[in-house]
Amino acid sequence: MKHYDLIVIGGGIGGSALAAVMAGAGKSVLLLEHSTQYEDRVRGEWIAPWGVAETRRIGLYDLLIGAGGHHLARHVSYDESRSPEESDARTLPLSIFAADVPGPLCIGHPHHCQTLFDEAKRRGAEALRGVKVTRIVAGAKPSVAYTHDGAEREAGATLIIGADGRMSAARDAAGIKLHQDKPHHWFAGLLVDGADGWADDLQAIGTEGDFGFLAFPQGKGRVRVYGGYALDQRGRFAGEDGARKFLEAFRMTSAPNNVHLAGATPAGPLFSYFNNDSWTDVPYAEGIVLVGDAAGWNDPISGLGLSITYRDVRIVTEILKASSDWSPKAFAPYAEERAERMRRLRFAAMLQAGLDMEFGDAARERRRRYHEASAADPTLGLHGFAIMGGPENAPPDIFTEAHRIRVLGA
């Protein structure tokens, strides 16, 4: 049985990034990816400014820019409670949240994954595709059994990295419990082409009627769009014409530029899923450490999946490179930081969802009051700073019940 320093299960963003960093540090790495081709599964393509800073700290920023990474410069929040001109007058520059970061970074998810997987291989990782993992053994002598090219294989490692997503087999093998809160609303995503009238540097969010939208341009008329709607509307965008019905929902009086999104051409699948948070109390056990969604995820309303993953990779690789002690106690600082990070981000997402993804007269009035009050007192919007600039950079009292009442009401 061949032995490696690290076996990384999952060759998505987190697994491939970690494999690239550690292979570059001279460690022997086996990277196992189930798919033979990365596909558009409506995953995040937006990295918050604090996440962009993390890509720099692990030495992958230039790689992503070279692969077509696209920075955004401006943000506008639209709402039915005010005119488009009022919303545009409050355009937010996105260069203010992290030092030397011009704004969020967008890059297509399948291409992003492939770029990192190829880089891990270039740096010396043994990177395999089309792998079916059949057994994961945690403990003092971690090992993985898998099939590849029709052959059954087994490998041992000093440590296994579980980067295998929300349904993580590594998490199950380690006996790590996943906690989830109740879904708040439905969220659907779609990639579109031909939105040439939408500014390439502008991201936006807005709510009107019974629909909330988000838009993140990828450059050259390509935009990733998301929409939120109530839980009791499960089949709203089902059927063969679901994508067209979804785009038609973007036509809003309060956001007239959305006409360019509504008239765009679908360039990928439309997927709908619940919006909720999930977390693990301790994202490691003897022989296994979890990163990314395997360790728990933030409500997608905040769009922080990639930023969370890149910080996970940065902290874990720093621990791995700092010492030969890869025992569970070595990762206690990672667990402590991640627990508080995710707690704060859960709170920020709860506020964001309560403002932007609730519908009806009461929700409309709540948003009107919030927009009016936050214009006079910008501290009401500091949960947005936590999302953009990093949760550790917002005051602790932002993540309290008293602040929730200030934002959403009693």
Side-chain angles (χ1 to χ4, degrees):
M1 183 169 63
K2 191 172 181 179
H3 188 276
Y4 300 83
D5 294 317
L6 293 164
I7 297 177
V8 181
I9 302 175
I13 303 298
S16 292
L18 190 143
V21 172
M22 295 310 299
K27 302 300 182 182
S28 60
V29 180
L30 175 62
L31 175 60
L32 304 176
E33 166 58 21
H34 176 72
S35 71
T36 56
Q37 180 178 350
Y38 296 111
E39 298 178 350
D40 181 1
R41 297 182 179 178
V42 191
R43 294 291 187 265
E45 297 181 330
W46 180 89
I47 309 175
W50 64 274
V52 177
E54 297 291 358
T55 70
R56 282 184 167 162
R57 293 179 70 175
I58 59 175
L60 293 175
Y61 173 77
D62 290 341
L63 177 73
L64 300 183
I65 292 296
H70 174 78
H71 277 292
L72 306 180
R74 300 176 293 143
H75 172 90
V76 178
S77 293
Y78 293 99
D79 191 75
E80 60 192 338
S81 67
R82 61 188 185 190
S83 70
E85 293 76 18
E86 289 176 298
S87 296
D88 289 337
R90 298 181 185 181
T91 298
L92 181 69
L94 296 175
S95 60
I96 64 175
F97 294 103
D100 301 320
V101 175
L105 184 68
C106 292
I107 181 171
H109 194 270
H111 180 55
H112 192 170
C113 291
Q114 188 66 57
T115 297
L116 292 174
F117 186 88
D118 291 345
E119 182 66 10
K121 193 171 184 178
R122 189 189 70 81
R123 294 187 183 189
E126 184 178 344
L128 305 179
R129 301 291 295 268
V131 173
K132 181 180 180 181
V133 174
T134 56
R135 186 178 70 253
I136 303 170
V137 178
K141 295 182 178 180
S143 65
V144 176
Y146 61 97
T147 59
H148 180 250
D149 285 343
E152 296 183 2
R153 305 181 184 181
E154 188 172 4
T158 304
L159 186 69
I160 294 171
I161 301 295
D164 48 344
R166 295 190 176 192
M167 304 301 291
S168 172
R171 185 178 62 232
D172 291 343
I176 298 172
K177 184 177 181 180
L178 183 72
H179 305 281
Q180 296 192 58
D181 62 7
K182 293 182 179 180
H184 180 268
H185 59 277
W186 284 103
F187 209 51
L190 179 68
L191 185 66
V192 299
D193 276 332
D196 299 311
W198 187 274
D200 276 352
D201 68 340
L202 175 66
Q203 67 175 44
I205 187 171
T207 310
E208 184 173 303
D210 60 354
F211 189 73
F213 84 93
L214 299 93
F216 302 106
Q218 310 290 309
K220 300 180 180 179
R222 173 163 282 197
V223 184
R224 176 68 72 178
V225 293
Y226 296 97
Y229 51 104
L231 288 176
D232 61 4
Q233 297 184 354
R234 178 173 182 172
R236 180 172 178 178
F237 302 117
E240 294 183 0
D241 61 343
R244 180 47 50 195
K245 289 189 293 186
F246 179 67
L247 291 178
E248 284 299 313
F250 282 74
R251 297 186 189 274
M252 294 182 177
T253 302
S254 59
N257 282 338
N258 279 19
V259 65
H260 301 296
L261 305 177
T265 301
L270 172 68
F271 286 153
S272 296
Y273 45 90
F274 285 133
N275 254 45
N276 69 332
D277 279 275
S278 181
W279 63 98
T280 53
D281 295 325
V282 180
Y284 62 82
E286 186 175 20
I288 293 182
V289 175
L290 307 177
V291 298
D293 283 356
W297 57 89
N298 186 222
D299 184 334
I301 184 65
S302 301
L304 292 177
L306 298 183
S307 302
I308 290 168
T309 296
Y310 273 116
R311 178 166 293 180
D312 289 352
V313 170
R314 192 262 299 171
I315 294 176
V316 170
T317 55
E318 285 181 347
I319 293 170
L320 294 173
K321 290 189 290 184
S323 169
S324 59
D325 177 11
W326 293 0
S327 65
K329 66 179 181 181
F331 297 96
Y334 168 53
E336 181 179 353
E337 188 280 339
R338 197 180 204 277
E340 178 60 12
R341 181 192 349 151
M342 299 303 284
R343 183 192 73 82
R344 291 186 175 206
L345 293 179
R346 284 197 300 276
F347 195 91
M350 177 268 294
L351 295 181
Q352 199 70 46
L355 287 169
D356 297 317
M357 296 297 164
E358 292 187 6
F359 314 103
D361 293 340
R364 184 184 305 112
E365 175 61 18
R366 182 188 311 125
R367 288 195 305 276
R368 186 198 66 76
R369 290 197 308 266
Y370 169 77
H371 289 309
E372 184 177 280
S374 62
D377 180 6
T379 65
L380 285 175
L382 280 177
H383 62 280
F385 186 87
I387 292 170
M388 299 293 291
E392 72 282 0
N393 292 319
D397 61 358
I398 294 303
F399 310 99
T400 63
E401 175 64 9
H403 185 72
R404 187 200 68 78
I405 293 174
R406 288 182 68 212
V407 174
L408 299 180

